[in-house]
Amino acid sequence: MKILILGAGGMIGRKLTAALLRKGELSGRIIQAMTLADVVKTDIPASSVALRAVAADLSAPGVASELIAERPDVVFHLAAIVSGEAEADFEKGYRINLDGTRELFEAVRRAHVADGYHPRLVFTSSVAVFGQPLPPVVPETQVLAPLSSYGTQKAIGELLLADYSRRGFMDGIGIRLPTIVIRPGKPNKAASGFFSGILREPLAGLPATLPVGDEVRHWFASPRRAVDFVLKAAEVDTSGLGVRRTLDMPGLSATVGEAIEALRGAAGDEAVALIRREPDEAVKRIIESWPEAFDPQRALALGFEADASFDEIIRRHLEDEVPSHGGQA
């Protein structure tokens, strides 16, 4: 089994790499080699698996073909410019999120034509592919109508994934990830980044900014659960997906206020007092265009599972990221 991870330097990419190395196999096959690709070369952990780190811009001509030349059995396409940055830098967002994806899919197609290459390709999409008006609970059949450049880029990626799979060039599966909280490390430029910030920073004794109201409801998953989603997508039987190759992932529907109350339960009033309310209409507009809850029947039937509560999400963050709780921050 040979694996290629695109976006290996990101949060999910790093955690996925570690999970695969612990697992040692995928779909019953021993992992022999992994290529970790990102715009900046990632650190290589100690392992008996043959690991290679590559600094690569997937949107640059020829790069995708070079990565596919090794004929990885599974390709994890996690690489993307996040929502806030894609909205602020139109050209960069489309170059990375759309052109890079198309370059990858074309490299796979050309390899298929040349020698029958047919990998499992896992594409991480987003709930941002949907836009208003939306029902309180989004059904499996909801029409894609994104209201951000990021959502549009991900929606196009989903359509390409479905078409290239329909034509037999790849065995593609897309997973629409909920907003991931609590993201470790420093804040990124995602419009949804504050959802992690209002928990992560106060848990560390630092101030955080909240740009939306406590009543805002959203769809969440923990980093640990997100890695579970990606791993399962690599192994699940795709024969029943039909032409709809992208699945809504199970998540936790909760309000900002409920997240803050879970923070209070974990760290007390002192932590909650570190949250500063500073309304930001641009962020509010993006967030309010995104879904609040889903009915992910297809994913649940395939065995994908959600986090149970925000208390569980915070507990997992402390276990995984905070040294005093046994984590590896």
Side-chain angles (χ1 to χ4, degrees), residues 161-193:
L161 182 83
D163 196 39
Y164 279 64
S165 296
R166 179 185 66 84
R167 296 296 297 266
F169 305 138
M170 64 175 70
D171 180 12
I173 179 170
I175 55 175
R176 296 185 188 117
L177 294 176
T179 289
I180 307 304
V181 293
I182 303 168
R183 286 181 171 271
K186 297 179 180 179
N188 63 19
K189 296 182 179 180
S192 59

Side-chain angles (χ1 to χ4, degrees), residues 230-264:
V230 176
L231 283 172
K232 189 167 186 63
E235 297 182 305
V236 74
D237 182 0
T238 59
S239 61
L241 293 183
V243 296
R244 293 190 297 155
R245 305 292 297 196
T246 301
L247 299 166
D248 298 326
M249 289 294 97
L252 173 67
S253 180
T255 66
V256 169
E258 289 167 344
I260 291 173
E261 286 308 305
L263 172 65
R264 192 189 310 277

Side-chain angles (χ1 to χ4, degrees), residues 87-108:
E87 197 69 12
D89 191 333
F90 185 86
E91 292 182 357
K92 183 178 182 181
Y94 272 91
R95 180 173 61 82
I96 300 300
N97 294 345
L98 177 55
D99 297 345
T101 297
R102 180 74 194 283
E103 288 283 342
L104 171 64
F105 291 2
E106 272 295 284
V108 171

Side-chain angles (χ1 to χ4, degrees), residues 146-300:
L147 293 176
S148 67
S149 293
Y150 174 76
T152 301
Q153 293 146 14
K154 286 295 188 180
I156 297 171
E158 290 185 11
L159 292 172
L160 291 173
L161 182 83
D163 196 39
Y164 279 64
S165 296
R166 179 185 66 84
R167 296 296 297 266
F169 305 138
M170 64 175 70
D171 180 12
I173 179 170
I175 55 175
R176 296 185 188 117
L177 294 176
T179 289
I180 307 304
V181 293
I182 303 168
R183 286 181 171 271
K186 297 179 180 179
N188 63 19
K189 296 182 179 180
S192 59
F194 71 88
F195 285 120
S196 287
I198 61 170
L199 302 173
R200 180 185 58 235
E201 270 68 80
L203 284 169
L206 301 172
T209 299
L210 175 59
V212 302
D214 288 27
E215 75 286 352
V216 168
R217 179 173 291 277
H218 199 59
W219 190 242
F220 299 101
S222 66
R224 195 188 297 183
R225 187 61 72 187
V227 172
D228 291 344
F229 293 157
V230 176
L231 283 172
K232 189 167 186 63
E235 297 182 305
V236 74
D237 182 0
T238 59
S239 61
L241 293 183
V243 296
R244 293 190 297 155
R245 305 292 297 196
T246 301
L247 299 166
D248 298 326
M249 289 294 97
L252 173 67
S253 180
T255 66
V256 169
E258 289 167 344
I260 291 173
E261 286 308 305
L263 172 65
R264 192 189 310 277
D269 293 340
E270 298 84 358
V272 173
L274 291 168
I275 299 173
R276 300 192 300 256
R277 286 166 169 76
E278 298 180 3
D280 185 319
E281 286 302 316
V283 172
K284 182 172 181 285
R285 186 166 54 251
I286 292 174
I287 298 300
E288 289 184 346
S289 74
W290 293 353
E292 297 179 349
F294 286 83
D295 182 17
Q297 295 179 10
R298 289 199 302 157
L300 291 171

Side-chain angles (χ1 to χ4, degrees), residues 125-149:
S125 189
S126 167
V127 298
V129 298
F130 301 105
Q132 297 297 327
L134 286 171
V137 178
V138 176
E140 295 275 7
T141 54
Q142 182 67 33
V143 172
L144 306 188
L147 293 176
S148 67
S149 293

